[in-house]
Amino acid sequence: MTRLSLPALLVLLVASAIAAVTFGPADITPGEVWSVIAHHLGLLPESPVSRLRDAIVWELRLPRVLTALCVGAGLALSGAVMQAITRNPLADPYLLGLSSGAALGAVSFALVGLTLLMPLGAFFGSLGALALALLIAGLLGGATPSRAILAGICIAALASAATSFLIFWSATGDSYREILSWLMGSLSGSLWFDAALASAALVLCTPIILAYARALDAFAFGDTAAASLGIDVPRLRWTLLGATALLTGIMVAIGGAIGFVGLVVPHAVRLMTGSRHRALLPHAMLAGAIFMLWTDTAARTLFDPRELPVGIITALIGAPVFLFVLLRYRRVT
Amino acid sequence: MSLGVSGLSVTKAQKLILSKVSFTAPSGQVTGLIGPNGAGKSTLLAALLGLTPATGTAHFHGLDLPAMPRRDRARQVAFVEQSAATEERLSVLDVVALGRIPFEAAWQSAPSPEDDAILAAALGETGMTGFAHRRFNTLSGGEQQRVHVARALAQQPRLLLLDEPTSHLDIRAQLQLLALLRRKAAEGMTVLLALHDLNLAVRFCDHLVVLDAGKLAAQGPPSAILTPALLEAVYGVRARLVADAPTGQPLIVYDDAVERISAQIPD
């Protein structure tokens, strides 16, 4: 199997980030990007860049690029973890209903005026959706891979309907359009606050998840095999589902229900790194960050001055990949 | 030191699956666990592994298996399932290396030189050395089962439990696997395996434990306990035991089984 190298991905990530900042209506050179960053970090006392261009880089594009990186990394990581613990190659925060639950939570909080607490609402929503999906799967006779997915689809439909109803009931005009665009998945208008929130969620959840990376390998042959290798299966499952619910919740609160990132990226990475999670998880995070960065850059520049919700692009790429995975793993589903 | 099971009971959904089963599996021997489908063989193995709640004890080297911490148990006891497939992209070596999980330090990123030697030995004993870098999913059923046995050997267990490991294998692969188990027993490992083929059980097991409807029906050396009366009582078949001329070992020949069984099926 070909090996991807982490340092190479890291270099690609940084280069992509710098390049993405230069894309947009105002032409900015990579040199100017460096200058602005150096200036704001106190490394360069006098900035050669004009105040306006400095603001475009520092206030608009950088926070958005960083938010995209974190959201992509978080969604890809969540997807990879869910695929391992449900033993379903089609598992993804979006398909399991977590994203819809998070959206419902966030919209509910926003509509009762708790706009600042939207991330918390999203977390409750994704956790609730997850608990409900597992409960339904349990009622069907055990949380097997396909039952968890079927339950997730049911939850996703229900939560989406409830969200749409809430918006129909209370939103008007501009806010309606704004919420709708957010629901389709959009990083438009991301601020430093969003970047900080997304990176905080990553900093909190990544070590917990990576600590279980080796134990996730033991799930390759199912719960019994994992347990016979000394893994505490229920504890691992609940800890990791909690961590992915938190990650998904925060990412949805920031970027809306951006689908398929958690499906597309881990599958692509798996083809190159193999399934050992010590390698897969960090590579999937970096690849997810790069994927999200470029799809978001396309979303904001393709139809300039209008913004395409990035969720549309990820779905356009993701749906065919979903079909590919479905055909490839026919036996599981 | 042997495995001593005493009064082991398992209840699932208010149904008694295993009822006060007691038996001994001598160390350094291959013990066969036989009995009809639903007799409780798999449940018994699951209880020994602490995978299903059970009452009673199962002492092995002074440890009570069902009650001991799972990681410690995984360093003593390895388990091979009937068949275990995966959709993951893993090499044969990756799968065998899973057997080292109970011994790995929390943040250990690569196998230690000692682990490498253990993995190489496990691959060698199962004849899978040349397959180390093949994709697990591309192997035949028999080869996959050998990889699982190699994974179990990589755990360096003192007790090896196997649940009908031969049921998906062709006869050559069955004989190879059972011969390997005999070798491991000769080296001192205690082997307990559920088996369906009674002639293979006679040929390869030193000791048999017969379960019927969750209860112990008999235990002892195959030639002593396998009688036409027992087979009739446990399996409901009529059989004769004939001596195989070259070896003198008993061979089970099923008599009117087909007629009798088809007679029981209503038209």
Side-chain angles (χ1 to χ4, degrees), chain A:
Chain A
M1 276 166 239
T2 351
R3 299 289 177 210
L4 263 177
S5 88
L6 277 177
L9 273 179
L10 212 56
V11 169
L12 185 60
L13 180 78
V14 174
S16 297
I18 299 287
V21 174
T22 66
F23 285 123
D27 272 328
I28 307 238
T29 64
E32 286 176 301
V33 178
W34 278 123
S35 303
V36 170
I37 294 174
H39 176 62
H40 282 271
L41 293 180
L43 303 172
L44 200 68
E46 283 294 316
S47 173
V49 184
S50 75
R51 299 257 311 261
L52 177 67
R53 295 167 78 77
D54 180 286
I56 289 174
V57 172
W58 189 256
E59 303 296 335
L60 294 178
R61 294 196 191 163
L62 260 181
R64 175 142 187 189
V65 159
L66 291 177
T67 307
L69 293 179
C70 294
V71 169
L75 291 177
L77 183 61
S78 298
V81 169
M82 288 183 162
Q83 284 146 27
I85 46 186
T86 62
R87 293 190 77 210
N88 191 321
L90 295 174
D92 154 282
Y94 189 71
L95 292 171
L96 274 183
L98 266 72
S99 299
S100 312
L104 178 60
V107 168
S108 310
F109 270 50
L111 289 182
V112 295
L114 299 170
T115 318
L116 276 179
L117 294 179
M118 267 173 68
L120 194 67
F123 170 57
F124 287 147
S126 64
L127 203 62
L130 180 67
L132 212 55
L134 291 179
L135 186 74
I136 293 176
L139 288 180
L140 293 171
T144 63
S146 46
R147 285 184 191 130
I149 292 280
L150 291 175
I153 289 170
C154 168
I155 303 295
L158 210 63
S160 304
T163 308
S164 303
F165 180 76
L166 280 180
I167 295 169
F168 161 79
W169 191 251
S170 46
T172 48
D174 277 355
S175 71
Y176 189 81
R177 197 189 155 90
E178 213 167 276
I179 293 180
L180 216 58
S181 141
W182 172 79
L183 269 187
M184 282 190 271
S186 170
L187 294 170
S188 158
S190 295
L191 305 171
W192 277 110
F193 172 75
D194 300 295
L197 188 64
S199 47
L202 273 182
V203 166
L204 186 67
C205 296
T206 307
I208 300 174
I209 293 173
L210 288 184
Y212 281 106
R214 184 60 177 148
L216 280 178
D217 293 347
F219 276 82
F221 296 96
D223 288 12
T224 302
S228 79
L229 287 169
I231 310 286
D232 186 340
V233 174
R235 199 183 76 176
L236 174 142
R237 176 164 279 141
W238 287 110
T239 308
L240 289 185
L241 287 176
T244 49
L246 179 64
L247 265 184
T248 305
I250 300 293
M251 299 318 172
V252 169
I254 293 166
I258 301 173
F260 296 103
V261 180
L263 180 77
V264 172
V265 174
H267 276 290
V269 171
R270 213 174 265 120
L271 290 177
M272 286 179 274
T273 64
S275 290
R276 290 166 317 123
H277 290 86
R278 278 267 165 77
L280 173 63
L281 298 181
H283 284 98
M285 284 179 75
L286 289 183
I290 295 169
F291 176 77
M292 197 70 241
L293 177 61
W294 285 115
T295 45
D296 183 55
T297 303
R300 70 183 166 85
T301 51
L302 276 182
F303 298 96
D304 187 52
R306 291 182 65 199
E307 279 233 7
L308 190 66
V310 68
I312 293 177
I313 301 182
T314 59
L316 272 177
I317 300 172
V321 174
F322 179 86
L323 190 64
F324 166 76
V325 176
L326 205 59
L327 290 170
R328 201 183 135 96
Y329 293 91
R330 249 169 303 192
R331 276 178 299 147
V332 202
T333 48

Side-chain angles (χ1 to χ4, degrees), chain A residues 1 3 83-84 87 89 207 210-211 214-215 217-225 227-234 270-272 274-278 280 328-329 331-332, chain B residues 49 51 70-71 73-74 77-79 81 84-91 94-95 97-102 104-110 133-137 148 151 155:
Chain A
M1 276 166 239
R3 299 289 177 210
Q83 284 146 27
R87 293 190 77 210
L210 288 184
R214 184 60 177 148
D217 293 347
F219 276 82
F221 296 96
D223 288 12
T224 302
S228 79
L229 287 169
I231 310 286
D232 186 340
V233 174
R270 213 174 265 120
L271 290 177
M272 286 179 274
S275 290
R276 290 166 317 123
H277 290 86
R278 278 267 165 77
L280 173 63
R328 201 183 135 96
Y329 293 91
R331 276 178 299 147
V332 202
Chain B
L49 288 158
L51 301 177
R70 63 193 90 229
R71 197 173 150 90
R73 183 172 48 229
V77 187
F79 181 49
E81 294 178 80
T86 184
E87 297 297 336
E88 301 281 4
R89 285 178 76 88
L90 294 169
S91 72
D94 290 338
V95 175
L98 295 178
R100 298 309 295 162
I101 286 181
E104 284 169 6
W107 289 98
Q108 189 182 332
S109 59
H133 299 288
R134 287 270 301 276
R135 276 268 302 283
F136 178 82
N137 288 357
H148 279 299
R151 187 266 306 150
Q155 279 174 262

